[in-house]
Amino acid sequence: QVRLVESGGGLVQAGDSLRLSCAASERTFRSYATGWFRQAPGPGREFVTSMTWNAGMTYYADFVKGRFTISRDNAKNTVYLQMNNLKPEDTAVYYCAAVAGLPGRSPADFSSWGQGTQVTVSS
């Protein structure tokens, strides 16, 4: 497992952009697949996007395609989530996750989690 710390959340207006960061202190992070999930008030974390360790493959939930982009800088042990054209329904706590293997779309597919960062989009 790796320790993950998210940052970059905040309060924005509809149509604005935010970039979330997820930093790991372990160099082994660069060999981990990573993902972003979100959780609005209520049960369950929702899959947003994921990426293989070498960024060779990326996966997106249908509701963020064309608006969100996942990327990583392995030299900095950091994964990013660029969010454009934000909508009020994107309001949630966003979590970074990692796994030493192929990324899935379920929270159960990931073994390491950050503490989350709040994103609030006003209309």
Side-chain angles (χ1 to χ4, degrees):
Q1 293 191 349
V2 293
R3 290 170 295 176
L4 305 173
V5 178
E6 300 100 331
S7 60
L11 172 63
V12 297
Q13 294 185 331
D16 285 351
S17 298
L18 275 177
R19 189 177 79 158
L20 306 183
S21 298
C22 172
S25 55
E26 296 85 354
R27 290 190 63 185
T28 53
F29 180 65
R30 61 193 61 185
S31 66
Y32 279 61
T34 57
W36 290 91
F37 289 76
R38 69 186 187 185
Q39 186 165 14
R45 292 183 182 181
E46 182 179 43
F47 170 78
V48 176
T49 180
S50 63
M51 168 183 284
T52 53
W53 71 273
N54 62 353
M57 296 294 292
T58 56
Y59 308 92
Y60 293 93
D62 288 344
F63 57 79
V64 301
K65 284 182 179 177
R67 298 192 298 128
F68 291 10
T69 304
I70 187 172
S71 63
R72 66 191 300 160
D73 185 340
N74 281 342
K76 297 181 178 179
N77 285 349
T78 302
V79 174
Y80 304 98
L81 180 63
Q82 177 68 42
M83 304 185 295
N84 298 328
N85 190 22
L86 283 161
K87 304 176 181 180
E89 52 264 41
D90 294 320
T91 295
V93 178
Y94 283 72
Y95 295 90
C96 176
V99 64
L102 293 177
R105 291 176 175 255
S106 168
D109 294 328
F110 292 84
S111 58
S112 300
W113 292 87
Q115 83 289 350
T117 184
Q118 177 71 47
V119 172
T120 303
V121 185
S122 63
S123 57

